Amino acid sequence: MDEMVRYYYFFTGRVQSVGFRYKASFLAQAYKLTGFVKNEYDGSVSLEVQGPEETIDQFVEELRTDRVIRIYSMSKERLDLVVGEKDFKVKF
């Protein structure tokens, strides 16, 4: 079994009003990842995601290659695992 990891991502670009949160939620459920995604007031999107590293990489790559979403910059920071987290949420 792959090691579980958790990352915080911060995305800028055309990432609001293009279905980013819906796509992230859909993909996270499909990949069985947990965490959350949230629009920020400055037009950016923040996301925390937990699961196997390779699966998270695939998840992020699908967001990056979406035909409507345009990510101009992305930062990534490793976080401590959230024990007992069961799902992926869209936060408002």
Side-chain angles (χ1 to χ4, degrees), residues 24-85:
S25 178
F26 173 81
L27 289 173
Q29 290 175 29
Y31 283 120
K32 296 180 177 29
L33 300 170
T34 63
F36 68 86
V37 62
K38 179 182 176 199
N39 280 350
E40 300 296 342
Y41 292 109
D42 64 359
S44 62
V45 173
S46 61
L47 180 146
E48 287 190 20
V49 62
Q50 182 168 298
E53 182 130 27
E54 186 174 301
T55 304
I56 291 174
D57 289 345
Q58 292 170 347
F59 163 80
V60 171
E61 185 61 21
E62 284 205 47
L63 290 173
R64 287 182 64 248
T65 58
D66 184 88
R67 64 183 185 17
V68 178
I69 296 166
R70 294 289 178 261
I71 296 170
Y72 300 150
S73 70
M74 175 181 81
S75 61
K76 174 181 171 182
E77 177 184 335
R78 189 157 180 171
L79 302 172
D80 292 334
L81 293 175
V82 175
V83 178
E85 186 174 60

Side-chain angles (χ1 to χ4, degrees), residues 1-5 51-53 78:
M1 184 172 163
D2 294 328
E3 177 191 4
M4 296 287 284
V5 295
E53 182 130 27
R78 189 157 180 171

Side-chain angles (χ1 to χ4, degrees), residues 3-22:
E3 177 191 4
M4 296 287 284
V5 295
R6 185 179 190 91
Y7 287 108
Y8 167 81
Y9 286 90
F10 183 77
F11 300 96
T12 64
R14 192 172 69 193
V15 292
Q16 287 192 15
S17 302
V18 292
F20 188 105
R21 291 178 301 163
Y22 171 78

